[in-house]
Amino acid sequence: MARSAAGPEIERLIQLLARLPGLGPRSARRAALHLVKKKDELLAPLSQAMAVAAETVVVCSTCGNVDTRDPCTICSDPRRDQSTIIVVEDVADLWALERAGAINARYHVLGGALSPLDGVGPDELAIDKLVRRVAAGGIGEVILAVNATVEGQTTAHYIMDRLVGSGVKVTRLAHGVPIGGELDYLDEGTLAAALRSRAPF
Ligand SMILES: [Zn+2]
């Protein structure tokens, strides 16, 4: 067995930190050392904040967002546009769109994208729930803000088919040149998509 430099409590902390996205064993060890060195300023308040989060975090039964209340802060905000639903694959995408702050709508988190090879079919995603939300009325537009991947686009087409005849406008994000992007550096797929979705000047 490999020798360990710390007691089992700290080893456990390292093992758990190593399971976080973006942290490998090395950076987990570094993070753990930083935490134990800053016991009062960091470790204690962090563990307290985590305990509170573990107690209170729930999944919104309307949109699938994670929050400490159900319905979530977004769904229960009366200032939000009630008639527009932005469909995203993951809560991370919802947070990214909120950071962009470009639109004051509500969301619907699918929980992934269709991927038959990985065994992800429509039943694994919150698609029926979306169709029911739209059927309940009051929705004018559904914006498909899924990833620009094969799986994301397959999912968008599937949802589009399911919403045909519902009377709502279904739109999707534009594909094209990123802000600050130089044409010479873009891949052919992005350039071709940008040309196809050109807009009047
Ligand atoms: Zn919600």
Side-chain angles (χ1 to χ4, degrees):
M1 217 184 105
R3 286 204 311 190
S4 57
E9 298 82 3
I10 293 176
E11 285 298 329
R12 169 124 179 98
L13 179 61
I14 295 168
Q15 277 167 19
L16 288 171
L17 285 170
R19 282 159 66 173
L20 292 174
L23 282 192
R26 256 183 98 94
S27 36
R29 201 160 280 279
R30 201 174 308 146
L33 181 61
H34 189 74
L35 283 168
V36 293
K37 273 162 67 181
K38 305 259 176 199
K39 186 183 163 194
D40 294 334
E41 308 103 286
L42 206 52
L43 183 58
L46 180 69
S47 71
Q48 222 169 22
M50 286 178 125
V52 171
E55 274 294 300
T56 51
V57 162
V58 283
V59 174
C60 175
S61 54
T62 305
C63 75
N65 186 16
V66 284
D67 201 349
T68 52
R69 65 198 68 183
D70 179 20
C72 71
T73 308
I74 293 175
C75 283
S76 51
D77 183 352
R79 289 161 304 180
R80 293 263 171 177
D81 175 6
Q82 319 275 323
S83 69
T84 305
I85 297 179
I86 305 178
V87 178
V88 292
E89 291 180 24
D90 199 87
V91 175
D93 305 324
L94 184 163
W95 286 10
L97 287 163
E98 280 296 292
R99 279 199 307 276
I103 192 163
N104 197 32
R106 291 184 175 186
Y107 293 89
H108 191 86
V109 181
L110 294 173
L114 291 175
S115 180
L117 288 177
D118 301 313
V120 183
D123 292 344
E124 274 70 46
L125 305 175
I127 295 177
D128 280 342
K129 211 168 159 187
L130 173 68
V131 174
R132 284 199 299 273
R133 248 180 110 179
V134 170
I139 308 296
E141 181 178 0
V142 171
I143 303 172
L144 301 174
V146 290
N147 291 334
T149 55
V150 173
E151 292 80 10
Q153 296 312 300
T154 306
T155 310
H157 281 115
Y158 179 81
I159 294 174
M160 179 75 213
D161 284 346
R162 292 284 307 268
L163 293 177
V164 163
S166 64
V168 295
K169 183 164 120 189
V170 182
T171 55
R172 64 178 177 115
L173 295 186
H175 298 158
V177 182
I179 302 291
E182 294 180 36
L183 298 193
D184 195 21
Y185 287 94
L186 295 182
D187 64 280
E188 294 78 13
T190 303
L191 265 179
L195 266 177
R196 280 196 301 271
S197 36
R198 64 189 181 276
F201 196 58

